[in-house]
Amino acid sequence: MRTIQTEVLVIGGGATGTGVIADLALRGFRCALVEKRDLAHGTTGRYHGLLHSGGRYAVKDPKAATECIEENVILRRIMPHCIEDTGGFFVVTPWDDDAFGDRFMQGCRDTAVPCEEISIPHMLREEPHLNPGISRCFRVPDGSADSFLATQSVAALAQAHGAQILHYYEVKQLIRQGDRVVGALCYDLVKDEEVAVHADLVVNAAGAWAGKIAHTAEVEVNVRAGKGTMIAASYRIVNTVVNRCKMPADGDIIVPVHTVSIIGTTDEGVPDPEHFAIEPWEVQLMMQEAAKIVPGWHDLRMLRCWGGVRPLYQETKVADTRDVTRAYTLLDHETRDGVAGFITITGGKWTTYRQMAQVTVDRVCEKLGTARPCTTHETVVPNPFEQGHGRQHHNLGQRLADVEKEEAFGQLICECELATRADVEHAITQGEAKTIDDVRRDVRVGMGPCQGGFCTYRVAAIWHELKKPSIEETNVTLRDFLQERWKGLMPILWGPQLKQERLDELIYLSVLNADHLPGPRASRLGPAMYEPGTVWESDHAHV
Amino acid sequence: MTNNIWEAQLDITPSDHKPVELTLDHCIKCNICVTACPVTAVTDLFPGPKYVGPQAGRFRHQGQPSPDHSVDYCNGCRVCNMVCPTGVKIAEINGRARAHIVQSGQVPLRRKLRNNLIARPELMGKVGQPLAPIANVLLHSGFGRFFAKLLLDIAPNAPLPRFSGERFSRWARKRPDAVRSARKVVYFHGCSTEYFEARVGKAAVQVLEANGFEVIVPPQNCCGLPLLSNGEFAAAQAYHESNIHHLIDYVKQGCVIVGTSTSCTLTLKEEAPEMLAYHTPDAQLLTANTFDIHEFLVHLLDAGELKTDGLKPMPLTLAYHPPCQYRAHRLGRPSTEIMALIPELTIIESQAACCGVGGTYGYKAEKYDITMAVGKSLFDFVQEVNGPIAVCDSETCRWNIAAVTGVPFVHPIELLAAAYGYEPEGPLAEVMK
């Protein structure tokens, strides 16, 4: 069996894991990260993209609110290219309690979250599609974040400082020697072989999967997987993050991220972070709640629906996962469970990933008996895909402006999201892409309204040309990606998106015969479909 | 059926008008518009209607400067709208995107000046028409063209019209023999008839009067389309409001508005309200009661109310180009239907999408070559038909095709007026001598 020896092993390639490995690398540790799929494949890549101001937790969870605003300021400084400065509103709709506005203001004051009330005419001038029945509006420094780009950027920073990032390495079992965890037995999905990674210390940053990982070392960590379902509308109906001004609940936030507006979310405890279904009632509820904020929401084209699982940590069992603190938790299993060489960092949210990494690595230093100061709060994270954009926030028009500047109109592979041939080739040859879905996370191919209808075959062709796999391998790569896109379309098939999918179906099944091309139907790198399969009722669109 | 077809419809249901940008949601990326677009077919400078319309629309933000400039190469022909299977209002999305570029001050000064000049035919007419003999010489001299290019980047070969010796409205006011009748229509002459081609208006009045109508020619302004297509929305809205002000009382008294300029009538009907998102009750009333003249005549024909007897034969074979702005009315081919009534007249219809001029588009130095390339097949067609004159409903198209081919153009209404026995003027008079 192949073995890898390192000082610190980080498990999980989401925001937390990549944050930890970057911090470790910057502090000069030898370190490696294993992620069972692509970076940001899990919860990080499936959240609504909110850069919290803390407003959302100002009343309910002041500790989380304070963490959020601290990190909000830092992230805007260190990774501006991943953040769009949309600003955020908290709005009191006719369904909400007017008086909550005052509690909200007070909560923001107490937690140092900047907040000002603006007039409704002013709000409607900025966001004309909002419900004119809204009675109060508060402005906070929310933003929207590109969590794919951020994760890639942080990982690239780590690599630049010597860290090893291992994609498609699934942890089968932690390796335990007596009272000590000494590494992890991994399965390399691409090479189809087992690899043992030995380390002085293992950091479990597997998010919602952290409980499963710990369990393999006979350590019990009670991480509840709180499923959140989100739907993206096909364009920016709002350009500001809009939250309902009330206690956090289902479907109370619309986040503009890149070209889409995302309504989120539900919160349902699921037994397994890997297997969950998107239920019709969730889609219905999101549609209904979004329309309270933007009354024309039903007329918009729904682009895609997906679910992510929050890692919610609690020492004792609770019934409603919303009441679990959103602040993060660091568990030192040596003091907690008598198992040395093993730390778990879980809970939290994207916005606080850097702080979580900092406290984790502080503890690593302590464990390894060294004192090395954290520098991530002042280390600018470069954009691995572009030079020269400097320290500017990204904005909605950026990709269009770039294409216009280069006059790359004829070079577009994904026309919806404006990914050029050069972008795709770079992701395939320079990046770590193992599947077209990985290319998607790098350059946004297939993420627009046609959901891969016109770019999947183009990317597959470029893939085949550059990587020179067998025809069968290319075919399965194509099929895996089609399935991956299809997965998020089934729950929202009505109106324009149904027309689109009919056209896409004609392209792939009738014209290209994609389902009968030689090669396996699916590969182990393909998507896991939502389970159990849901039976959709015919009238679910009329919500 | 409650009204006579010449009476205005006043009980219209106000419709729910959504911003045209929302229609981008219906794009299924099928590329049909791209294959039909006459501009993208001839130049790489225009990435095509799908790219600049529904696609780029997702990257635009009202609060930020426009990220794109290629949308300015759309000539507004609206072929994309016509072929779109899902109803995306691509041309309007483009027009509004251009306005955003203009409003955010992203157009260089020289071009801004030029656009503001050529988008104001009313102003040019008011200044130039009284000085017609001098102005015509100056505008058509090599010297004048040289300076127009130098100072304002106007294409040296731009199809500039000639000012007419008499303003149409003056002619209309001073007619002692005007018909008085209980059947009244309002005539919207537009700038071309008023300042450049009074003969078209005269023919229209004669045809309407021959059918028993009293023709009212109220004071009116430019419809605002040239300003709309140059992104100068504030000025366009001022014109549109003024036109509503001048016309709406007639509508409320039961008169419909009839026009000979297909782009003016389209603007009153659809373009101004949609591009400006201007949907007041009066604007909607005007929209519902404005007709292209041949649309109106076909209604009369269908109702058995059009004079069709005693038409003079016209033994001619003529090329006819239904302009894209006319097709955009989505009416079929009313002019073809009316011309078919004229004995011995053979009309050969062009299948070309667009002549390329796009109103003021072809007057711009940087776009002139594109205009020529777009119109190429149409120019060839007109020359192949090789008639003594050719026919087209839209003025800027007539001027453009005539300038390139050397074939004089008439408006189809001139043919019907002549068939009714009225004395033609201009190119038609030459042919019928």
Side-chain angles (χ1 to χ4, degrees):
Chain A
M1 193 193 306
R2 204 148 57 86
T3 59
I4 294 171
Q5 180 69 47
T6 189
E7 206 172 352
V8 184
L9 169 65
V10 180
I11 299 169
T16 314
T18 51
V20 169
I21 193 115
D23 198 332
L24 286 166
L26 285 167
R27 296 198 212 187
F29 289 100
R30 266 195 315 127
C31 48
L33 179 148
V34 290
E35 159 56 48
K36 71 184 177 119
R37 306 295 291 231
D38 187 23
L39 297 178
H41 180 270
T43 310
T44 298
R46 295 158 199 254
Y47 96 118
H48 46 42
L50 173 65
L51 173 70
H52 280 275
S53 61
R56 211 171 155 72
Y57 304 117
V59 173
K60 190 173 178 179
D61 195 345
K63 183 163 174 267
T66 305
E67 285 165 10
C68 283
I69 188 61
E70 287 168 6
E71 288 302 305
N72 179 305
V73 173
I74 293 170
L75 295 185
R76 283 167 187 264
R77 198 171 61 225
I78 65 168
M79 50 166 62
H81 66 285
C82 302
I83 287 165
E84 183 177 348
D85 185 18
T86 60
F89 288 160
F90 277 79
V91 296
V92 178
T93 71
W95 294 267
D96 307 324
D97 177 12
D98 236 20
F100 189 84
D102 298 325
R103 286 178 65 195
F104 176 75
M105 280 284 263
Q106 188 56 47
C108 286
R109 265 196 293 274
D110 294 347
T111 51
V113 175
C115 171
E116 57 158 347
E117 182 157 12
I118 63 169
S119 74
I120 300 306
H122 186 148
M123 174 196 86
L124 289 172
R125 262 199 309 281
E126 285 189 30
E127 293 296 346
H129 297 292
L130 290 185
N131 189 343
I134 287 169
S135 57
R136 300 183 75 176
C137 177
F138 304 90
R139 189 200 295 282
V140 295
D142 281 344
S144 82
D146 182 333
S147 60
F148 300 146
L149 182 58
T151 309
Q152 292 281 5
S153 302
V154 173
L157 176 70
Q159 280 171 311
H161 286 82
Q164 211 178 349
I165 308 275
L166 302 164
H167 303 76
Y168 289 94
Y169 269 53
E170 185 174 0
V171 171
K172 294 306 224 188
Q173 179 144 24
L174 292 171
I175 305 168
R176 194 170 157 171
Q177 282 175 2
D179 289 342
R180 192 167 191 89
V181 171
V182 295
L185 183 64
C186 301
Y187 172 62
D188 179 339
L189 274 81
V190 176
K191 294 196 178 129
D192 188 20
E193 63 177 14
E194 291 200 330
V195 183
V197 185
H198 296 289
D200 299 343
L201 191 67
V202 174
V203 176
N204 175 12
W209 288 262
K212 290 177 101 172
I213 298 285
H215 186 74
T216 66
E218 288 161 27
V219 171
E220 291 315 307
V221 173
N222 187 19
V223 177
R224 290 185 55 97
K227 174 188 60 165
T229 294
M230 284 147 274
I231 307 176
S234 88
Y235 72 105
R236 295 268 290 247
I237 191 74
V238 291
N239 290 306
T240 307
V241 174
V242 186
N243 305 264
R244 293 266 290 278
C245 190
K246 60 171 187 172
M247 288 305 243
D250 289 352
D252 61 353
I253 182 168
I254 300 177
V255 187
V257 188
H258 282 287
T259 45
V260 302
S261 312
I262 298 170
I263 173 73
T265 151
T266 49
D267 192 352
E268 286 287 297
V270 291
D272 185 336
E274 207 68 58
H275 295 293
F276 55 86
I278 289 173
E279 306 284 347
W281 70 263
E282 294 180 285
V283 174
Q284 191 158 343
L285 184 68
M286 289 302 109
M287 295 299 291
Q288 180 190 307
E289 293 301 300
K292 292 178 180 172
I293 302 171
V294 173
W297 187 270
H298 288 310
D299 299 329
L300 302 179
R301 171 175 179 170
M302 293 305 120
L303 196 82
R304 191 174 178 83
C305 179
W306 68 97
V309 280
R310 302 170 182 83
L312 301 170
Y313 176 76
Q314 192 79 356
E315 281 292 359
T316 53
K317 284 182 104 178
V318 284
D320 181 356
T321 51
R322 262 235 201 260
D323 290 329
V324 172
T325 175
R326 301 308 317 280
Y328 52 83
T329 307
L330 178 72
L331 303 174
D332 181 341
H333 297 293
E334 187 169 13
T335 49
R336 179 179 180 262
D337 308 292
V339 178
F342 187 40
I343 292 173
T344 293
I345 174 76
T346 190
K349 53 207 128 301
W350 186 84
T351 305
T352 56
Y353 89 84
R354 193 211 58 85
Q355 206 174 86
M356 292 163 71
Q358 180 176 348
V359 302
T360 307
V361 180
D362 285 349
R363 184 63 62 97
V364 170
C365 289
E366 216 175 279
K367 296 258 123 201
L368 299 179
T370 161
R372 303 177 191 179
C374 176
T375 56
T376 54
H377 58 290
E378 53 189 28
T379 307
V380 172
V381 181
N383 182 349
F385 296 100
E386 281 175 73
Q387 322 294 317
H389 270 302
R391 307 186 66 172
Q392 280 191 337
H393 291 310
H394 80 75
N395 62 59
L396 174 61
Q398 190 61 56
R399 290 171 79 92
L400 181 59
D402 289 346
V403 169
E404 291 274 316
K405 196 169 141 223
E406 305 287 323
E407 293 188 2
F409 326 123
Q411 293 296 313
L412 294 177
I413 300 302
C414 170
E415 297 172 75
C416 302
E417 292 295 312
L418 305 178
T420 64
R421 188 178 176 115
D423 293 337
V424 172
E425 289 182 349
H426 186 269
I428 294 173
T429 57
Q430 309 297 312
E432 302 278 357
K434 306 283 192 288
T435 68
I436 298 178
D437 195 37
D438 299 350
V439 177
R440 172 182 74 83
R441 272 182 291 272
D442 289 352
V443 298
R444 298 186 65 79
V445 291
M447 293 185 73
C450 81
Q451 288 287 297
F454 286 81
C455 64
T456 306
Y457 59 83
R458 294 173 187 160
V459 177
I462 296 172
W463 182 275
H464 189 74
E465 205 174 274
L466 295 177
K467 295 194 104 136
K468 307 198 186 329
S470 69
I471 286 171
E472 288 77 9
E473 283 171 290
T474 300
N475 289 342
V476 76
T477 301
L478 172 88
R479 274 198 284 261
D480 279 350
F481 189 62
L482 290 176
Q483 287 295 354
E484 192 282 333
R485 291 289 85 188
W486 177 237
K487 169 182 174 176
L489 284 153
M490 275 189 291
I492 47 102
L493 274 191
W494 65 81
Q497 204 60 334
L498 180 58
K499 286 185 197 168
Q500 181 70 61
E501 284 314 298
R502 175 64 180 136
L503 179 59
D504 291 1
E505 180 186 27
L506 290 169
I507 293 171
Y508 288 98
L509 300 189
S510 300
V511 179
L512 298 178
N513 199 26
D515 49 342
H516 295 106
L517 297 174
R521 287 193 72 81
S523 80
R524 60 179 175 274
L525 306 186
M529 299 307 273
Y530 293 125
E531 290 179 58
T534 308
V535 179
W536 290 88
E537 291 158 29
S538 59
D539 64 346
H540 75 276
H542 306 290
V543 290
Chain B
M1 188 74 193
T2 52
N3 285 35
N4 284 313
I5 56 111
W6 57 85
E7 287 171 14
Q9 204 70 59
L10 298 179
D11 55 342
I12 56 163
T13 330
S15 51
D16 178 21
H17 291 279
K18 299 210 173 88
V20 295
E21 284 82 3
L22 298 193
T23 66
L24 69 80
D25 252 3
H26 297 287
C27 177
I28 54 168
K29 312 279 159 180
C30 66
N31 281 320
I32 291 174
C33 60
V34 183
T35 62
C37 174
V39 180
T40 199
V42 300
T43 176
D44 288 342
L45 293 170
F46 186 59
K50 180 174 81 161
Y51 168 94
V52 299
Q55 272 168 206
R58 294 176 67 240
F59 292 84
R60 298 189 185 117
H61 183 315
Q62 273 310 307
Q64 291 171 1
S66 188
D68 56 324
H69 45 81
S70 62
V71 67
D72 191 43
Y73 279 92
C74 167
N75 80 356
C77 72
R78 298 167 51 111
V79 166
C80 46
N81 288 23
M82 297 262 298
V83 299
C84 177
T86 58
V88 182
K89 290 183 174 168
I90 307 168
E92 288 79 4
I93 291 173
N94 297 353
R96 285 167 63 92
R98 181 188 285 120
H100 187 58
I101 296 176
V102 171
Q103 277 156 16
S104 49
Q106 293 171 274
V107 180
L109 185 64
R110 179 153 157 261
R111 293 217 167 143
K112 175 129 174 122
L113 272 173
R114 174 197 64 192
N115 296 352
N116 268 279
L117 183 70
I118 61 178
R120 284 182 168 77
E122 184 179 319
L123 178 69
M124 285 198 287
K126 278 181 177 157
V127 174
Q129 188 277 329
L131 308 168
I134 307 165
N136 284 338
V137 170
L138 196 67
L139 279 182
H140 291 269
S141 70
F143 175 78
R145 294 303 186 98
F146 175 77
F147 275 98
K149 166 74 178 81
L150 188 71
L151 298 175
L152 292 168
D153 221 9
I154 291 175
N157 292 320
L160 296 174
R162 288 173 184 277
F163 294 108
S164 55
E166 185 185 20
R167 276 171 76 156
F168 166 75
S169 58
R170 182 180 299 249
W171 172 86
R173 261 202 318 278
K174 290 191 346 193
R175 292 172 65 223
D177 52 345
V179 170
R180 298 275 170 256
S181 163
R183 289 186 181 187
K184 297 183 202 315
V185 289
V186 171
Y187 176 53
F188 191 86
H189 48 65
C191 301
S192 63
T193 298
E194 177 70 353
Y195 302 108
F196 303 106
E197 294 176 330
R199 61 172 212 267
V200 174
K202 293 177 190 175
V205 170
Q206 287 158 348
V207 166
L208 291 166
E209 289 190 343
N211 282 287
F213 288 95
E214 179 178 334
V215 182
I216 302 165
V217 183
Q220 52 190 268
N221 289 105
C222 171
C223 66
L225 179 60
L227 287 163
L228 288 173
S229 31
N230 281 282
E232 297 289 347
F233 276 20
Q237 181 154 335
Y239 275 141
H240 188 56
E241 285 172 352
S242 171
N243 279 325
I244 293 172
H245 171 74
H246 287 309
L247 301 173
I248 201 68
D249 284 344
Y250 294 102
V251 174
K252 287 178 178 167
Q253 287 160 28
C255 299
V256 297
I257 316 294
V258 171
T260 39
S261 168
T262 53
S263 44
C264 299
T265 49
L266 186 68
T267 304
L268 296 180
K269 273 182 173 182
E270 197 169 297
E271 287 293 82
E274 289 201 340
M275 296 262 251
L276 300 168
Y278 187 86
H279 303 288
T280 62
D282 280 354
Q284 294 195 39
L285 202 54
L286 185 67
T287 290
N289 290 294
T290 299
F291 298 88
D292 172 76
I293 191 156
H294 285 95
E295 176 187 16
F296 185 69
L297 296 180
V298 165
H299 285 324
L300 290 179
L301 180 67
D302 291 347
E305 299 275 354
L306 186 74
K307 173 181 153 72
T308 54
D309 55 322
L311 296 188
K312 268 172 57 176
M314 216 173 272
L316 294 169
T317 297
L318 305 179
Y320 168 60
H321 175 61
C324 38
Q325 291 290 313
Y326 201 13
R327 299 177 202 193
H329 282 253
R330 301 180 295 277
L331 296 169
R333 296 279 188 276
S335 305
T336 310
E337 216 173 318
I338 297 299
M339 287 188 284
L341 300 170
I342 300 171
E344 296 179 33
L345 174 63
T346 306
I347 291 294
I348 305 180
E349 206 177 271
S350 113
Q351 301 300 316
C354 179
C355 78
V357 79
T360 57
Y361 186 91
Y363 290 73
K364 302 172 181 177
E366 75 278 14
K367 291 169 179 135
Y368 182 78
D369 289 346
I370 297 173
T371 296
M372 290 303 108
V374 169
K376 177 78 169 52
S377 67
L378 176 56
F379 306 146
D380 292 347
F381 161 78
V382 169
Q383 275 164 341
E384 265 166 39
V385 174
N386 197 22
I389 55 171
V391 189
C392 181
D393 309 75
S394 177
E395 56 275 6
T396 51
C397 310
R398 286 198 293 275
W399 303 337
N400 180 38
I401 311 166
V404 177
T405 60
V407 178
F409 266 71
V410 299
H411 188 288
I413 200 68
E414 296 179 68
L415 299 175
L416 185 62
Y420 278 169
Y422 292 99
E423 192 65 39
E425 290 179 33
L428 188 57
E430 296 292 313
V431 174
M432 294 187 64
K433 246 183 224 164

